[in-house]
Amino acid sequence: MTQGNRGPANPKPDTGKDYSKYFDFSDAKIVKEENGKTTYRIKGRDITINAMPSYKDEKKRGKEEIRVHYENAVPEELRTLGRGKKYLIYTYGCQMNEHDTEVMRGLFEEMGFAPTTERTEADVILLNTCAVRENAEDKVFGELGHLKSLKLEKPELILGVCGCMSQEAAVVGRIMQKHAYVDLIFGTHNIHRLPHLLQEAYFGKEMVVEVWSKEGDIIENLPKKREGLRAWVNIMYGCDKFCTYCIVPYTRGKERSRLPEDVIAEVRELARQGFKEITLLGQNVNAYGKDFTDRNYRFADLMDDIRKIDIPRVRFTTSHPRDFDDRLIEVLAKGGNLVEHIHLPVQSGSSEILKRMSRKYSREHFLDLVRRIREAIPNVVLTTDIIVGFPGETEEQFEETLSLVREVKFASAFTFIYSPREGTPAAEMEDNVPYEVKQKRLERLNALIAELSLESNLQLKGQTVEVLVEGVSKNNPNVLSGRTRSNKLIHFEGPQEWIGQFVKVKVTAPQTWYIRGEAADVPVQAALSHGA
Ligand code: SAM
Ligand code: SF4
């Protein structure tokens, strides 16, 4: 997470777009049917459908066991598919998508592709998309429009769409009808199939659509191309919470945990490779292990085991307040590499709205949880996610959110205007709150968060904090940038050889969204290399 709120996340009113017009396939002809795949001709474009997303199947939560697969995703014969070719991936949305992109980069490079940041040089361009809010989807359709001219100039370019939007039948239908120059659409459960799908797109010349809507298995041993000092580690996939506003349980499948031995082996390997920080990822990490039938091992146990691994900083995201138990608080309070920052999305301060969001906790429960966390970890920094303008939110209910934010003193927050997602229960709820009112509420909330962020940073004035130096400041090459254990952004002067090291920095001038400081000491490694 980056420090600071993201400002207006939804700058224009949601229009409740009607995608049904994209489902008129009356002019589609079946060209071929074999091996369970059907090739249609729609407006002159051949489209092979291996699997279409199904909202009904995405909603299902059956009892069948989750299988873990360890096979290699890139067979020998596809290891030269990308020889002499370049790939580019644009990533939208959350850390989960960032991490999926790392996996796809790993797959591309095992196939012999080289990376590029220049779209005109790329032989394959993928858009790894986000469906959480409508404006994220609009950005993707805008980008697809821009890429059309490139595709027309360079017809051999393979253009693909993957990620959460691909799990929506309406989106796939729209691309098939309106953006027929796209070559490949695949879903969040089909990432490991990328080598085979690329091969089909290259040799078949048809648009290939493969979006499984299953609840999901776990695919281990996928290559990952990570860069920098910090690494994401998935500990679980999917979500079973079904908050009424949220599309994630449909696009990401059922809640399923990776086996602790696989997670721990990956973290050990990252430590060996010299990563300084890991972030454990899941939509609801506190539900980790609930799906194990052969052992009683939960998120607190995993954190307690990872605490013993020699990696300097361990973070996790995202925590659902409902499953945050005392045992986890007890483990986090042991400190060490478990940093004192918790991102704890509250979404609203009104128990009535929380009930309609189906968050399954009340304002009182949340405040009590915060009290217990603060008691055990007095210097903890709390950040959150908040949605304003949920259908029917009254002024009083919004003010309950403001008062909760004030009471908890969140150090920063991601704040959003509610965006209706087709197929979710909240999208059917009556909404009598005008968009302008929602915008004003967001502004009021953002102003309060800014005030609290400054207050939280001011508390550090004069203190010396440990900073992991990540790079040079965007605005001044003589200034280094890094993060404190509590994830606060800090700038200070120092030599570039300190990048990647831990430096003690004295806080001199706290600002609203960042802190200025002065190096209080040379880092340990730098001191050793200079014989100090
Ligand atoms: N699993 C995480 C949790 O429960 O906190 C969050 C995952 S979601 C990708 C990130 C954030 O997006 C949520 O915490 C919520 O604030 C926001 N969000 C999700 N659906 C939304 C919607 N329909 N409109 C506005 N914001 C939404
Ligand atoms: Fe969405 Fe709720 Fe699951 Fe988070 S916990 S991903 S907000 S359904």
Side-chain angles (χ1 to χ4, degrees), residues 314-315 332 335-342 377-382 466 484-487:
V314 180
R315 304 185 185 281
L332 295 179
N337 60 0
L338 309 183
V339 298
E340 40 286 336
H341 167 219
I342 301 174
I377 315 167
N379 57 344
V380 74
V381 167
L382 296 174
E466 179 203 82
T484 64
R485 280 172 63 91
S486 56
N487 212 29

Side-chain angles (χ1 to χ4, degrees), residues 6 9-10 14 93-96 130-135 164 238-239 241 243-248 282-285 317-321 343-347 357 359 361 384-388 390 414-421 424 426:
R6 284 180 183 163
N10 192 357
D14 284 308
C94 67
Q95 295 94 335
M96 202 68 78
C130 169
V132 169
R133 283 166 294 276
E134 189 176 353
N135 67 325
C164 286
C239 182
K241 285 281 178 285
C243 301
T244 54
Y245 51 82
C246 185
I247 200 163
V248 171
Q283 291 302 343
N284 169 16
V285 289
T317 197
T318 300
S319 261
H320 193 295
H343 185 65
L344 198 58
V346 64
Q347 313 298 357
M357 287 177 163
R359 291 289 287 181
Y361 55 84
T384 196
D385 291 353
I386 296 170
I387 296 176
V388 303
F390 189 75
F414 292 139
T415 55
F416 311 100
I417 291 182
Y418 165 72
S419 170
R421 304 286 59 215
T424 59

Side-chain angles (χ1 to χ4, degrees), residues 120-374:
T120 51
E121 280 184 2
D123 299 282
V124 183
I125 299 181
L126 292 186
L127 305 186
N128 187 8
T129 62
C130 169
V132 169
R133 283 166 294 276
E134 189 176 353
N135 67 325
E137 295 201 352
D138 289 345
K139 275 192 213 152
V140 169
F141 281 116
E143 189 62 279
L144 270 183
H146 294 142
L147 288 166
K148 182 176 182 179
S149 51
L150 190 63
K151 175 76 186 174
L152 292 176
E153 271 167 39
K154 193 176 168 183
E156 69 281 11
L157 168 73
I158 298 280
L159 192 55
V161 177
C162 57
C164 286
M165 277 173 71
S166 311
Q167 296 293 141
E168 293 178 85
V171 167
V172 175
R174 179 171 169 184
I175 295 175
M176 281 163 45
Q177 290 274 1
K178 290 249 309 182
H179 306 272
Y181 49 92
V182 167
D183 301 284
L184 183 58
I185 304 175
F186 60 100
T188 57
H189 302 292
N190 306 70
I191 290 176
H192 63 292
R193 297 261 309 140
L194 175 63
H196 300 273
L197 297 173
L198 260 186
Q199 186 190 34
E200 275 187 50
Y202 263 121
F203 297 112
K205 304 281 179 216
E206 298 133 8
M207 183 197 292
V208 178
V209 179
E210 185 177 290
V211 184
W212 294 341
S213 300
K214 52 196 223 155
E215 299 170 37
D217 283 343
I218 291 179
I219 318 286
E220 288 293 342
N221 290 346
L222 290 174
K224 291 162 194 150
K225 173 130 189 258
R226 295 172 160 119
E227 275 165 4
L229 317 161
R230 301 185 294 166
W232 311 113
V233 178
N234 261 128
I235 62 165
M236 57 188 303
Y237 302 94
C239 182
D240 287 349
K241 285 281 178 285
F242 288 98
C243 301
T244 54
Y245 51 82
C246 185
I247 200 163
V248 171
Y250 309 87
T251 63
R252 291 276 172 179
K254 139 170 163 175
E255 228 161 61
R256 52 211 191 274
S257 310
R258 284 178 73 197
L259 297 174
E261 49 272 34
D262 291 331
V263 175
I264 287 168
E266 184 170 349
V267 175
R268 286 220 171 94
E269 175 56 20
L270 292 168
R272 197 194 59 75
Q273 290 172 12
F275 280 92
K276 304 284 194 247
E277 180 178 305
I278 56 162
T279 304
L280 306 176
L281 286 183
Q283 291 302 343
N284 169 16
V285 289
N286 307 94
Y288 178 81
K290 274 189 166 177
D291 51 322
F292 294 148
T293 48
D294 61 340
R295 58 185 99 193
N296 183 11
Y297 187 95
R298 303 295 295 272
F299 186 52
D301 301 302
L302 183 70
M303 289 303 270
D304 210 19
D305 282 340
I306 290 180
R307 195 174 63 78
K308 295 164 198 148
I309 300 177
D310 191 13
I311 196 137
R313 286 182 179 178
V314 180
R315 304 185 185 281
F316 59 92
T317 197
T318 300
S319 261
H320 193 295
R322 183 180 169 215
D323 294 324
F324 209 114
D325 55 26
D326 285 340
R327 164 112 171 83
L328 178 61
I329 298 178
E330 193 186 300
V331 171
L332 295 179
K334 294 181 185 176
N337 60 0
L338 309 183
V339 298
E340 40 286 336
H341 167 219
I342 301 174
H343 185 65
L344 198 58
V346 64
Q347 313 298 357
S348 167
S350 149
S351 292
E352 176 53 32
I353 294 286
L354 288 169
K355 195 163 163 204
R356 289 205 284 123
M357 287 177 163
S358 194
R359 291 289 287 181
K360 303 198 172 66
Y361 55 84
S362 62
R363 174 191 175 95
E364 291 68 34
H365 171 105
F366 187 86
L367 289 173
D368 184 57
L369 173 62
V370 168
R371 185 191 52 73
R372 284 182 283 128
I373 293 174
R374 285 207 196 280

Side-chain angles (χ1 to χ4, degrees), residues 502-523:
F502 289 96
V503 183
K504 296 271 184 240
V505 177
K506 184 166 177 207
V507 172
T508 53
Q511 312 290 313
T512 301
W513 302 124
Y514 68 95
I515 289 168
R516 274 202 224 105
E518 282 166 9
D521 204 356
V522 282

